[in-house]
Amino acid sequence: MIEPSAKATKPLKVLLLNQTFYPDVMATAQYLTELAIQLQQRGHTVSVITSRRAYDQPDKQFPADEYWQGIKIRRVWGSRFGKLAKWRRAADFATFIMSCCWRLLWTPRQDVVVALTSPPLISWIAAWFTRLRGGRFCYWVMDMNPDEAVAAGWLRKGALVTRILENFSRFSLRTAARIVVLDRFMRDLVLQKGIEAEKISIISPWSQDELVKFDGPGRDAFRQKHNFGERFLVMHAGNHSPCHPLDTLLDAARELRDDSSIAFCFQGGGSELAKVKQRTAMEKLPNVTCLPYQPVKQLSAALSAADAHVVVMGEPFVGTIHPCKIYNALAVGAPIVYIGPAQSHVTDLLGPAAAHIGVRHGEATLLATKLRVLSQNRNRLPQSEQQRIAALSSRAALLPKMVAAIED
């Protein structure tokens, strides 16, 4: 692991571009914040351009300019139409992108520009910035668009808009000196676009093991606060996206509605959480509780409260998105309930471990049966399984690789 006191042999000016950053609680914000801190501690000059608005609370605004832990943060304006319609999301993305472009006009050359994929066109802006000003572009691919949008049915394959966005995506990939993808399926998709394999590194998101770990007292307090009592708690925590269909999980909750020993908790945000709340109310599911994102300081307690964590992967989305929520779930030692295709990064990571369970979409009755069996055990992951996962997904193992990809 790179020690915080260690310094890079050549200090760099590094610019990070993404819609979310500290103190936002979105997953990409947390990963990018940890990377920024590590780069700053290595002796690099780090600056960030991000949004003023909290991702899941658009009415909440952060300071426009801030120095935090030696990092220069510039937060730009964006509209707040919300996520209730596609045009609203597009408008919010567009205004944020335009504000980024304006800020970049006054930004001097950087040695390295790191862009993520929120919103999708931010990588295209970063690629042009390095083309015009110089420096190297590192593309940290958190999801693949427009591939994801086509798989979701938001865009039609072959349509003019789709072709334009695909050209933007390929321009970003070609311009990047380094492309960091999250799993082998995403790498294969990038290779299919004609990108050289030598530019691509696979670095999965890491568990935030310095922030998230099993918290026994916090678990008890959280369960008491939300009246979970001694019930076996099945939790889906994080972003609730159409890419992670929740129908099978909700159908299983309906089948178990009369089983007073099992409860379900949907915790986080995203466009699909409103649908979960609506269905819970319409079907009068007494075993379902919906909660907002929890503050970072309370994350360990909230995640530790679960007896099992749910990870969902939509059938057509393998390679276009990555199940980031799985790492924090594993960090608290919880078994995983997987709903998705037979082959994905989740199955690669979990392997044949008996502690976890998995079903395909539509197998709600089978899921309900497996949850009943799992609830009888109430076991956390064996120490050997936790050690195996930590070797693959810990912050200590993966964050230095991300730093090296930028410094290389």
mmCIF file of all heavy atoms in Angstrom, residues 329-364:
data_model
loop_
_atom_site.group_PDB
_atom_site.id
_atom_site.type_symbol
_atom_site.label_atom_id
_atom_site.label_comp_id
_atom_site.label_asym_id
_atom_site.label_seq_id
_atom_site.Cartn_x
_atom_site.Cartn_y
_atom_site.Cartn_z
ATOM 1 N N ALA A 329 -21.037 -3.765 1.421
ATOM 2 C CA ALA A 329 -21.819 -4.839 2.037
ATOM 3 C C ALA A 329 -20.903 -5.948 2.542
ATOM 4 O O ALA A 329 -21.060 -6.464 3.658
ATOM 5 C CB ALA A 329 -22.819 -5.388 1.024
ATOM 6 N N LEU A 330 -19.911 -6.299 1.737
ATOM 7 C CA LEU A 330 -18.966 -7.337 2.156
ATOM 8 C C LEU A 330 -18.069 -6.862 3.289
ATOM 9 O O LEU A 330 -17.624 -7.659 4.117
ATOM 10 C CB LEU A 330 -18.121 -7.770 0.960
ATOM 11 C CG LEU A 330 -18.868 -8.564 -0.123
ATOM 12 C CD1 LEU A 330 -18.024 -8.674 -1.386
ATOM 13 C CD2 LEU A 330 -19.242 -9.951 0.389
ATOM 14 N N ALA A 331 -17.815 -5.546 3.338
ATOM 15 C CA ALA A 331 -16.935 -5.005 4.374
ATOM 16 C C ALA A 331 -17.514 -5.184 5.773
ATOM 17 O O ALA A 331 -16.770 -5.225 6.759
ATOM 18 C CB ALA A 331 -16.650 -3.529 4.110
ATOM 19 N N VAL A 332 -18.851 -5.260 5.887
ATOM 20 C CA VAL A 332 -19.460 -5.471 7.202
ATOM 21 C C VAL A 332 -19.702 -6.957 7.471
ATOM 22 O O VAL A 332 -20.324 -7.322 8.476
ATOM 23 C CB VAL A 332 -20.778 -4.668 7.353
ATOM 24 C CG1 VAL A 332 -20.507 -3.185 7.244
ATOM 25 C CG2 VAL A 332 -21.832 -5.109 6.339
ATOM 26 N N GLY A 333 -19.223 -7.821 6.577
ATOM 27 C CA GLY A 333 -19.308 -9.258 6.821
ATOM 28 C C GLY A 333 -20.670 -9.866 6.593
ATOM 29 O O GLY A 333 -20.979 -10.930 7.135
ATOM 30 N N ALA A 334 -21.500 -9.208 5.760
ATOM 31 C CA ALA A 334 -22.847 -9.722 5.520
ATOM 32 C C ALA A 334 -22.867 -10.655 4.322
ATOM 33 O O ALA A 334 -22.174 -10.404 3.328
ATOM 34 C CB ALA A 334 -23.811 -8.567 5.287
ATOM 35 N N PRO A 335 -23.648 -11.733 4.372
ATOM 36 C CA PRO A 335 -23.833 -12.560 3.180
ATOM 37 C C PRO A 335 -24.579 -11.772 2.106
ATOM 38 O O PRO A 335 -25.343 -10.857 2.407
ATOM 39 C CB PRO A 335 -24.661 -13.746 3.683
ATOM 40 C CG PRO A 335 -25.306 -13.272 4.935
ATOM 41 C CD PRO A 335 -24.392 -12.262 5.536
ATOM 42 N N ILE A 336 -24.353 -12.143 0.845
ATOM 43 C CA ILE A 336 -24.933 -11.431 -0.280
ATOM 44 C C ILE A 336 -26.095 -12.223 -0.866
ATOM 45 O O ILE A 336 -25.995 -13.437 -1.081
ATOM 46 C CB ILE A 336 -23.877 -11.184 -1.379
ATOM 47 C CG1 ILE A 336 -22.727 -10.334 -0.820
ATOM 48 C CG2 ILE A 336 -24.507 -10.499 -2.594
ATOM 49 C CD1 ILE A 336 -23.127 -8.960 -0.328
ATOM 50 N N VAL A 337 -27.192 -11.518 -1.122
ATOM 51 C CA VAL A 337 -28.319 -12.064 -1.873
ATOM 52 C C VAL A 337 -28.240 -11.460 -3.272
ATOM 53 O O VAL A 337 -28.459 -10.259 -3.448
ATOM 54 C CB VAL A 337 -29.662 -11.708 -1.203
ATOM 55 C CG1 VAL A 337 -30.830 -12.193 -2.057
ATOM 56 C CG2 VAL A 337 -29.739 -12.290 0.196
ATOM 57 N N TYR A 338 -27.887 -12.277 -4.251
ATOM 58 C CA TYR A 338 -27.670 -11.781 -5.606
ATOM 59 C C TYR A 338 -28.852 -12.122 -6.496
ATOM 60 O O TYR A 338 -29.294 -13.277 -6.547
ATOM 61 C CB TYR A 338 -26.386 -12.393 -6.172
ATOM 62 C CG TYR A 338 -26.171 -12.127 -7.646
ATOM 63 C CD1 TYR A 338 -26.100 -10.828 -8.142
ATOM 64 C CD2 TYR A 338 -26.034 -13.184 -8.547
ATOM 65 C CE1 TYR A 338 -25.897 -10.588 -9.496
ATOM 66 C CE2 TYR A 338 -25.820 -12.951 -9.893
ATOM 67 C CZ TYR A 338 -25.764 -11.654 -10.367
ATOM 68 O OH TYR A 338 -25.561 -11.420 -11.708
ATOM 69 N N ILE A 339 -29.344 -11.109 -7.210
ATOM 70 C CA ILE A 339 -30.410 -11.289 -8.199
ATOM 71 C C ILE A 339 -29.866 -10.806 -9.535
ATOM 72 O O ILE A 339 -29.593 -9.610 -9.703
ATOM 73 C CB ILE A 339 -31.672 -10.495 -7.822
ATOM 74 C CG1 ILE A 339 -32.134 -10.853 -6.405
ATOM 75 C CG2 ILE A 339 -32.787 -10.758 -8.835
ATOM 76 C CD1 ILE A 339 -33.268 -9.970 -5.893
ATOM 77 N N GLY A 340 -29.673 -11.729 -10.480
ATOM 78 C CA GLY A 340 -29.118 -11.307 -11.751
ATOM 79 C C GLY A 340 -28.693 -12.469 -12.615
ATOM 80 O O GLY A 340 -28.942 -13.645 -12.297
ATOM 81 N N PRO A 341 -28.014 -12.168 -13.724
ATOM 82 C CA PRO A 341 -27.590 -13.213 -14.658
ATOM 83 C C PRO A 341 -26.544 -14.130 -14.057
ATOM 84 O O PRO A 341 -25.865 -13.786 -13.089
ATOM 85 C CB PRO A 341 -27.018 -12.412 -15.845
ATOM 86 C CG PRO A 341 -26.673 -11.076 -15.274
ATOM 87 C CD PRO A 341 -27.654 -10.821 -14.190
ATOM 88 N N ALA A 342 -26.403 -15.296 -14.668
ATOM 89 C CA ALA A 342 -25.510 -16.320 -14.123
ATOM 90 C C ALA A 342 -24.053 -15.912 -14.177
ATOM 91 O O ALA A 342 -23.248 -16.357 -13.353
ATOM 92 C CB ALA A 342 -25.720 -17.634 -14.877
ATOM 93 N N GLN A 343 -23.677 -15.066 -15.146
ATOM 94 C CA GLN A 343 -22.301 -14.607 -15.262
ATOM 95 C C GLN A 343 -22.258 -13.088 -15.177
ATOM 96 O O GLN A 343 -22.885 -12.389 -15.980
ATOM 97 C CB GLN A 343 -21.670 -15.070 -16.581
ATOM 98 C CG GLN A 343 -21.361 -16.550 -16.621
ATOM 99 C CD GLN A 343 -20.452 -16.910 -17.786
ATOM 100 O OE1 GLN A 343 -20.342 -16.169 -18.751
ATOM 101 N NE2 GLN A 343 -19.784 -18.049 -17.686
ATOM 102 N N SER A 344 -21.534 -12.600 -14.190
ATOM 103 C CA SER A 344 -21.345 -11.167 -14.000
ATOM 104 C C SER A 344 -20.167 -10.985 -13.053
ATOM 105 O O SER A 344 -19.611 -11.963 -12.543
ATOM 106 C CB SER A 344 -22.600 -10.509 -13.412
ATOM 107 O OG SER A 344 -22.765 -10.876 -12.046
ATOM 108 N N HIS A 345 -19.804 -9.733 -12.794
ATOM 109 C CA HIS A 345 -18.719 -9.495 -11.846
ATOM 110 C C HIS A 345 -19.099 -9.990 -10.451
ATOM 111 O O HIS A 345 -18.217 -10.403 -9.678
ATOM 112 C CB HIS A 345 -18.384 -8.005 -11.790
ATOM 113 C CG HIS A 345 -17.284 -7.689 -10.827
ATOM 114 N ND1 HIS A 345 -15.976 -8.040 -11.045
ATOM 115 C CD2 HIS A 345 -17.304 -7.082 -9.603
ATOM 116 C CE1 HIS A 345 -15.226 -7.658 -10.028
ATOM 117 N NE2 HIS A 345 -16.010 -7.082 -9.134
ATOM 118 N N VAL A 346 -20.379 -9.963 -10.120
ATOM 119 C CA VAL A 346 -20.806 -10.448 -8.801
ATOM 120 C C VAL A 346 -20.476 -11.920 -8.652
ATOM 121 O O VAL A 346 -19.905 -12.344 -7.635
ATOM 122 C CB VAL A 346 -22.312 -10.204 -8.599
ATOM 123 C CG1 VAL A 346 -22.758 -10.767 -7.251
ATOM 124 C CG2 VAL A 346 -22.634 -8.723 -8.683
ATOM 125 N N THR A 347 -20.791 -12.717 -9.653
ATOM 126 C CA THR A 347 -20.502 -14.149 -9.557
ATOM 127 C C THR A 347 -18.996 -14.396 -9.610
ATOM 128 O O THR A 347 -18.499 -15.336 -8.983
ATOM 129 C CB THR A 347 -21.211 -14.925 -10.677
ATOM 130 O OG1 THR A 347 -20.807 -14.408 -11.956
ATOM 131 C CG2 THR A 347 -22.717 -14.789 -10.556
ATOM 132 N N ASP A 348 -18.264 -13.566 -10.359
ATOM 133 C CA ASP A 348 -16.800 -13.681 -10.347
ATOM 134 C C ASP A 348 -16.248 -13.454 -8.949
ATOM 135 O O ASP A 348 -15.363 -14.172 -8.484
ATOM 136 C CB ASP A 348 -16.179 -12.644 -11.295
ATOM 137 C CG ASP A 348 -16.236 -13.077 -12.756
ATOM 138 O OD1 ASP A 348 -16.742 -14.178 -13.032
ATOM 139 O OD2 ASP A 348 -15.776 -12.300 -13.613
ATOM 140 N N LEU A 349 -16.759 -12.435 -8.273
ATOM 141 C CA LEU A 349 -16.235 -12.041 -6.970
ATOM 142 C C LEU A 349 -16.629 -13.027 -5.880
ATOM 143 O O LEU A 349 -15.797 -13.422 -5.051
ATOM 144 C CB LEU A 349 -16.735 -10.634 -6.611
ATOM 145 C CG LEU A 349 -16.231 -10.022 -5.309
ATOM 146 C CD1 LEU A 349 -14.720 -9.815 -5.357
ATOM 147 C CD2 LEU A 349 -16.933 -8.681 -5.046
ATOM 148 N N LEU A 350 -17.875 -13.454 -5.877
ATOM 149 C CA LEU A 350 -18.356 -14.313 -4.798
ATOM 150 C C LEU A 350 -17.935 -15.761 -4.979
ATOM 151 O O LEU A 350 -17.751 -16.476 -3.990
ATOM 152 C CB LEU A 350 -19.888 -14.232 -4.710
ATOM 153 C CG LEU A 350 -20.471 -12.856 -4.392
ATOM 154 C CD1 LEU A 350 -21.992 -12.951 -4.285
ATOM 155 C CD2 LEU A 350 -19.881 -12.280 -3.117
ATOM 156 N N GLY A 351 -17.814 -16.185 -6.235
ATOM 157 C CA GLY A 351 -17.451 -17.574 -6.461
ATOM 158 C C GLY A 351 -18.523 -18.519 -5.927
ATOM 159 O O GLY A 351 -19.684 -18.155 -5.792
ATOM 160 N N PRO A 352 -18.131 -19.746 -5.567
ATOM 161 C CA PRO A 352 -19.117 -20.740 -5.123
ATOM 162 C C PRO A 352 -19.402 -20.715 -3.621
ATOM 163 O O PRO A 352 -19.941 -21.682 -3.080
ATOM 164 C CB PRO A 352 -18.449 -22.061 -5.528
ATOM 165 C CG PRO A 352 -16.986 -21.775 -5.355
ATOM 166 C CD PRO A 352 -16.782 -20.325 -5.708
ATOM 167 N N ALA A 353 -19.028 -19.646 -2.927
ATOM 168 C CA ALA A 353 -19.158 -19.610 -1.465
ATOM 169 C C ALA A 353 -20.592 -19.932 -1.033
ATOM 170 O O ALA A 353 -21.551 -19.323 -1.502
ATOM 171 C CB ALA A 353 -18.734 -18.245 -0.942
ATOM 172 N N ALA A 354 -20.718 -20.863 -0.111
ATOM 173 C CA ALA A 354 -22.038 -21.314 0.339
ATOM 174 C C ALA A 354 -22.752 -20.256 1.175
ATOM 175 O O ALA A 354 -23.970 -20.337 1.362
ATOM 176 C CB ALA A 354 -21.888 -22.601 1.146
ATOM 177 N N ALA A 355 -21.999 -19.264 1.672
ATOM 178 C CA ALA A 355 -22.608 -18.254 2.540
ATOM 179 C C ALA A 355 -23.552 -17.339 1.782
ATOM 180 O O ALA A 355 -24.432 -16.704 2.376
ATOM 181 C CB ALA A 355 -21.511 -17.422 3.205
ATOM 182 N N HIS A 356 -23.402 -17.238 0.451
ATOM 183 C CA HIS A 356 -24.209 -16.330 -0.348
ATOM 184 C C HIS A 356 -25.298 -17.109 -1.095
ATOM 185 O O HIS A 356 -25.188 -18.323 -1.303
ATOM 186 C CB HIS A 356 -23.328 -15.590 -1.353
ATOM 187 C CG HIS A 356 -22.105 -14.987 -0.745
ATOM 188 N ND1 HIS A 356 -22.145 -13.889 0.095
ATOM 189 C CD2 HIS A 356 -20.795 -15.323 -0.838
ATOM 190 C CE1 HIS A 356 -20.921 -13.583 0.482
ATOM 191 N NE2 HIS A 356 -20.082 -14.432 -0.066
ATOM 192 N N ILE A 357 -26.354 -16.398 -1.503
ATOM 193 C CA ILE A 357 -27.400 -17.035 -2.295
ATOM 194 C C ILE A 357 -27.638 -16.212 -3.554
ATOM 195 O O ILE A 357 -27.377 -15.008 -3.575
ATOM 196 C CB ILE A 357 -28.721 -17.195 -1.507
ATOM 197 C CG1 ILE A 357 -29.304 -15.823 -1.125
ATOM 198 C CG2 ILE A 357 -28.510 -18.040 -0.265
ATOM 199 C CD1 ILE A 357 -30.686 -15.935 -0.486
ATOM 200 N N GLY A 358 -28.122 -16.875 -4.601
ATOM 201 C CA GLY A 358 -28.371 -16.190 -5.849
ATOM 202 C C GLY A 358 -29.555 -16.766 -6.587
ATOM 203 O O GLY A 358 -29.825 -17.976 -6.509
ATOM 204 N N VAL A 359 -30.284 -15.908 -7.284
ATOM 205 C CA VAL A 359 -31.406 -16.320 -8.127
ATOM 206 C C VAL A 359 -31.393 -15.464 -9.387
ATOM 207 O O VAL A 359 -30.740 -14.419 -9.446
ATOM 208 C CB VAL A 359 -32.774 -16.168 -7.412
ATOM 209 C CG1 VAL A 359 -32.837 -17.019 -6.157
ATOM 210 C CG2 VAL A 359 -33.064 -14.703 -7.085
ATOM 211 N N ARG A 360 -32.138 -15.901 -10.402
ATOM 212 C CA ARG A 360 -32.316 -15.110 -11.611
ATOM 213 C C ARG A 360 -33.537 -14.210 -11.444
ATOM 214 O O ARG A 360 -34.394 -14.421 -10.564
ATOM 215 C CB ARG A 360 -32.503 -16.030 -12.821
ATOM 216 C CG ARG A 360 -31.374 -17.029 -13.042
ATOM 217 C CD ARG A 360 -30.095 -16.353 -13.466
ATOM 218 N NE ARG A 360 -30.213 -15.750 -14.789
ATOM 219 C CZ ARG A 360 -29.982 -16.386 -15.930
ATOM 220 N NH1 ARG A 360 -29.624 -17.666 -15.906
ATOM 221 N NH2 ARG A 360 -30.094 -15.775 -17.085
ATOM 222 N N HIS A 361 -33.631 -13.194 -12.273
ATOM 223 C CA HIS A 361 -34.810 -12.334 -12.257
ATOM 224 C C HIS A 361 -36.061 -13.156 -12.552
ATOM 225 O O HIS A 361 -36.067 -14.029 -13.425
ATOM 226 C CB HIS A 361 -34.658 -11.209 -13.286
ATOM 227 C CG HIS A 361 -33.653 -10.184 -12.887
ATOM 228 N ND1 HIS A 361 -33.905 -9.210 -11.942
ATOM 229 C CD2 HIS A 361 -32.376 -9.990 -13.292
ATOM 230 C CE1 HIS A 361 -32.826 -8.461 -11.796
ATOM 231 N NE2 HIS A 361 -31.891 -8.916 -12.592
ATOM 232 N N GLY A 362 -37.116 -12.893 -11.813
ATOM 233 C CA GLY A 362 -38.372 -13.617 -11.979
ATOM 234 C C GLY A 362 -38.534 -14.802 -11.040
ATOM 235 O O GLY A 362 -39.628 -15.366 -10.946
ATOM 236 N N GLU A 363 -37.471 -15.182 -10.334
ATOM 237 C CA GLU A 363 -37.535 -16.343 -9.443
ATOM 238 C C GLU A 363 -37.850 -15.910 -8.017
ATOM 239 O O GLU A 363 -37.119 -16.219 -7.072
ATOM 240 C CB GLU A 363 -36.218 -17.122 -9.500
ATOM 241 C CG GLU A 363 -35.925 -17.716 -10.879
ATOM 242 C CD GLU A 363 -34.621 -18.500 -10.940
ATOM 243 O OE1 GLU A 363 -33.704 -18.207 -10.129
ATOM 244 O OE2 GLU A 363 -34.514 -19.399 -11.791
ATOM 245 N N ALA A 364 -38.965 -15.213 -7.867
ATOM 246 C CA ALA A 364 -39.324 -14.651 -6.557
ATOM 247 C C ALA A 364 -39.641 -15.741 -5.542
ATOM 248 O O ALA A 364 -39.261 -15.636 -4.369
ATOM 249 C CB ALA A 364 -40.513 -13.696 -6.702
#
